[in-house]
Amino acid sequence: MTQLGMIGLGKMGGNMTERLLGRGVQVVVWDRAPEVVQRLGGVGATTAADLADLVRQLEAPRLVWIMVPAGAPVDATIDALLPLLTPGDVVIDGGNSNFHDTRRRAERLASAGFHMVDAGTSGGVWGKELGYCLMVGGDPDAVRRLEPVLTALAPERGWRHVGPAGAGHFVKMVHNGIEYGMLQAYAEGYEILRAAPQYPGLDLAGIAELWQQGSVVRSWLNELAARAFARSGDLADVKGWVADSGEGRWTVQAAIDSDVPAPVITLALQMRFRSRQDDSFGAKVIAALRNEFGGHEVKRT
């Protein structure tokens, strides 16, 4: 039986664990939140009291999957694991790490006799049921050892070894950059429909559903838009504040580094920043200047 250690049991790590358990993979789990560990223990996972206990319960050579937020938490987890592992073990980072960090970590692990595999993971909360798209980077032998896990997590043809260490996270980064542009295009289109004075009260849920029927803009994202509009046509319960977890910024920087024009993704990233301002000072400056040079009307607070 294939055995895997899973560190980090949030929305992604927890759901991935349940999918693996349902497909015959033995999963040893640990998280800083004991109640989450206990819940997964109740559905078949083997629980660990701490990282040392997790490593002890895995047979060498081990497969240890890290599913924690990008950045310092990944480095801290690797720091804690290194004294516990034995040469030949494979550490997998399934989060949205910067590919530069992944390359650095892979070199560090290799120098200590370990392998690193980076698995860019897409599928969100639906992945538990539908499977996860996995973009995998790393040494071919290490990826080959991980193949039963990847096959269990992914739908048919849903994972691919795309290159050496960091390549998986690089491909996932660009994937998320494309997502930024797609989301922005849908957002603008639906706002135009909602704001049209000639056709007040257009049924956005109905239009989104219509577009799913053979239209060239049909997609899973648009299907989700139809679901969201069906629940609340005006999205009154949603604040228009949009976070970014880094991949859009990294994609824009990669485009700059490679002299590749990426205006759509860049502007989509900038619009996320704009969403966090209740009242943009930059817009105030533009309004004031238009008033100064052209006498254009200014809306006063």
Side-chain angles (χ1 to χ4, degrees):
M1 176 183 288
T2 302
Q3 194 183 40
L4 176 78
M6 179 68 77
I7 300 168
L9 306 173
K11 289 180 182 178
M12 293 291 285
N15 282 349
M16 291 167 72
T17 295
E18 291 195 47
R19 183 172 174 88
L20 289 168
L21 291 170
R23 284 159 177 76
V25 177
Q26 181 188 355
V27 188
V28 183
V29 298
W30 181 79
D31 189 278
R32 291 184 301 175
E35 64 276 9
V36 181
V37 176
Q38 184 177 13
R39 182 186 70 80
L40 286 168
V43 295
T46 303
T47 62
D50 51 31
L51 287 181
D53 188 30
L54 179 141
V55 171
R56 274 196 302 270
Q57 295 189 68
L58 295 171
E59 295 180 8
R62 303 170 182 86
L63 301 173
V64 182
W65 192 299
I66 300 172
M67 207 67 191
V68 302
V74 178
D75 284 316
T77 304
I78 291 174
D79 287 344
L81 279 173
L82 276 178
L84 306 172
L85 299 176
T86 54
D89 290 351
V90 179
V91 175
I92 307 101
D93 180 5
N96 286 324
S97 290
N98 187 302
F99 73 97
H100 292 295
D101 290 339
T102 302
R103 289 164 61 94
R104 168 179 56 79
R105 291 165 184 150
E107 290 178 4
R108 179 188 179 196
L109 285 165
S111 67
F114 309 120
H115 304 282
M116 181 161 199
V117 171
D118 49 297
T121 307
S122 181
V125 296
W126 295 87
K128 175 182 171 181
E129 175 186 354
L130 302 177
Y132 299 89
C133 178
L134 298 165
M135 296 143 265
V136 182
D139 176 76
D141 289 336
V143 174
R144 196 172 300 114
R145 285 174 48 197
L146 188 63
E147 185 170 343
V149 173
L150 300 172
T151 301
L153 284 171
E156 188 177 358
R157 302 190 307 279
W159 74 270
R160 180 175 291 271
H161 183 199
V162 296
H169 282 151
F170 183 79
V171 172
K172 177 57 167 37
M173 175 194 78
V174 176
H175 163 284
N176 283 24
I178 293 170
E179 176 192 303
Y180 275 52
M182 293 174 67
L183 289 172
Q184 185 64 31
Y186 281 124
E188 292 174 10
Y190 283 116
E191 184 163 7
I192 292 167
L193 290 173
R194 183 173 182 269
Q198 309 94 326
Y199 306 108
L202 287 173
D203 178 4
L204 300 186
I207 292 168
E209 178 60 30
L210 171 65
W211 284 350
Q212 286 300 103
Q213 313 310 315
S215 160
V216 296
V217 299
R218 68 187 184 276
S219 73
W220 184 55
L221 288 175
N222 190 60
E223 178 185 338
L224 297 179
R227 291 169 59 95
F229 290 137
R231 284 195 301 271
S232 173
D234 60 0
L235 303 182
D237 59 336
V238 179
K239 183 175 175 60
W241 194 102
V242 186
D244 76 282
S245 53
E247 299 92 336
R249 302 178 190 222
W250 305 337
T251 304
V252 170
Q253 186 59 57
I256 293 169
D257 293 342
S258 300
D259 296 329
V260 173
V264 172
I265 296 173
T266 301
L267 185 56
L269 173 64
Q270 295 296 323
M271 290 302 293
R272 293 203 178 190
F273 300 154
R274 176 63 182 88
S275 78
R276 301 168 202 175
Q277 298 177 299
D278 290 332
D279 192 7
S280 166
F281 183 76
K284 290 183 180 183
V285 172
I286 293 171
L289 290 177
R290 291 183 76 248
N291 177 257
E292 292 293 333
F293 71 67
H296 299 289
E297 179 184 0
V298 174
K299 295 184 181 297
R300 302 294 180 181
T301 58

